[in-house]
Amino acid sequence: MNKVSINGVEVYPFTSDKELLAHIDAHKRILVAVNAEKILHATNLTREIINQNCGYCDGIGAVVALRKKGYQNVIKIAGCELWLKIIAMTWQQGKSYYLVGGTQAVIEQTVRQLKQDFPNIIIANYRNGYIKTQAEKELLLRDIEELRPDIIFVAMGSPKQELLMAEMAARHDAIYQGLGGSFDVYTGKVSRAPEWWRKHQLEGLYRSLAGFKWSKMKRLFKAMPFWWNVLTNKY
């Protein structure tokens, strides 16, 4: 499958979850959820990470941009669902997993819940997402090298998680996925948008409007140039 460039960010036009899962099964890459914000504010470094790996549509903005380019069957694939589908596809094969992200309480609850949902799952190790020093990061990278997990999930938000996964991948070949706040969603700390909003691919808008905060609205307004560029065919 050929990738499609949007503002220099190359995205795979997957038409189903199964198509993406088959790609994952055949290629060890960093999976990057691409949305309007990542396309609009891409730097040379984040573009390079995405373009050398596997960017997929995890936002209606990326979907609309690809459809404007003729890929009418492309779909949004929610990263907060994808990581669990990856586990469901691989855990009975004896694959091992390494988890990074969230607060200490959230990561511990995530691990407990995974062990309940996927009996005998192999969790190689885990740690919270608050890496404060270079020494802490080096310990994490060494742990990854020594344990050599098959699949690594990093939930720290962008671009921190992509930059960290790139460093990990330089030392150990595995499947990586950036998860943002997915551990919070999985453990029930944060609720997803209601089904109607998800069905109509408006989950990002719902998050911006729910529990009104100016910080969320600023992010929404900052995405306006993206939509202008899509509508005027500048991408």
Side-chain angles (χ1 to χ4, degrees):
M1 176 183 293
N2 294 325
K3 294 188 281 187
V4 184
S5 178
I6 311 169
N7 191 31
V9 175
E10 297 176 358
V11 186
Y12 281 99
F14 292 115
T15 60
S16 68
D17 293 346
K18 289 182 178 179
E19 194 172 38
L20 174 50
L21 290 170
H23 181 87
I24 293 168
D25 197 38
H27 303 89
K28 289 184 178 180
R29 297 281 176 83
I30 299 172
L31 305 175
V32 184
V34 177
N35 55 23
E37 194 171 13
K38 285 182 184 173
I39 295 169
L40 182 64
H41 301 299
T43 65
N44 289 337
L45 182 54
T46 58
R47 278 194 192 93
E48 182 180 359
I49 292 172
I50 296 171
N51 295 351
Q52 290 181 352
N53 291 284
C54 178
Y56 64 94
C57 294
D58 183 24
I60 187 60
V63 170
V64 171
L66 286 180
R67 287 179 179 172
K68 284 274 288 182
K69 290 177 176 288
Y71 295 86
Q72 297 303 317
N73 295 323
V74 66
I75 64 166
K76 173 187 172 182
I77 299 173
C80 63
E81 298 174 358
L82 177 62
W83 76 287
L84 295 172
K85 291 178 180 178
I86 292 173
I87 294 176
M89 180 179 73
T90 59
W91 69 286
Q92 290 182 315
Q93 300 171 8
K95 300 296 185 182
S96 59
Y97 309 88
Y98 201 115
L99 284 70
V100 180
T103 64
Q104 189 62 29
V106 166
I107 192 67
E108 288 178 358
Q109 185 179 349
T110 298
V111 170
R112 287 196 300 270
Q113 192 164 327
L114 285 172
K115 289 180 177 180
Q116 291 178 358
D117 293 344
F118 303 96
N120 300 317
I121 187 173
I122 301 172
I123 305 293
N125 206 351
Y126 62 91
R127 65 149 293 151
N128 64 54
Y130 295 86
I131 302 171
K132 299 178 181 179
T133 66
Q134 182 62 33
E136 285 188 19
K137 183 167 71 172
E138 184 60 30
L139 284 174
L140 172 61
L141 294 174
R142 288 179 183 174
D143 202 35
I144 293 290
E145 280 188 287
E146 291 175 6
L147 295 176
R148 304 190 65 80
D150 297 296
I151 302 171
I152 301 168
F153 298 114
V154 182
M156 295 174 65
S158 296
K160 287 183 179 180
Q161 61 191 21
E162 284 79 24
L163 297 174
L164 180 58
M165 288 188 295
E167 289 192 64
M168 291 176 171
R171 297 201 186 189
H172 170 56
D173 191 24
I175 294 171
Y176 295 83
Q177 185 188 355
L179 296 182
S182 295
F183 293 161
D184 290 333
V185 174
Y186 180 59
T187 58
K189 182 177 174 61
V190 173
S191 298
R192 289 192 68 186
E195 184 179 355
W196 186 90
W197 293 80
R198 299 201 304 270
K199 182 178 179 181
H200 291 84
Q201 301 190 22
L202 295 172
E203 189 166 8
L205 178 61
Y206 176 87
R207 287 198 302 268
S208 297
L209 298 175
F212 181 88
K213 291 182 180 179
W214 278 113
S215 60
K216 291 182 179 181
M217 295 308 296
K218 285 180 181 178
R219 288 185 65 182
L220 184 62
F221 290 133
K222 283 182 178 179
M224 292 303 174
F226 169 86
W227 291 104
W228 175 253
N229 290 335
V230 170
L231 292 172
T232 56
N233 298 314
K234 291 183 179 179
Y235 284 157

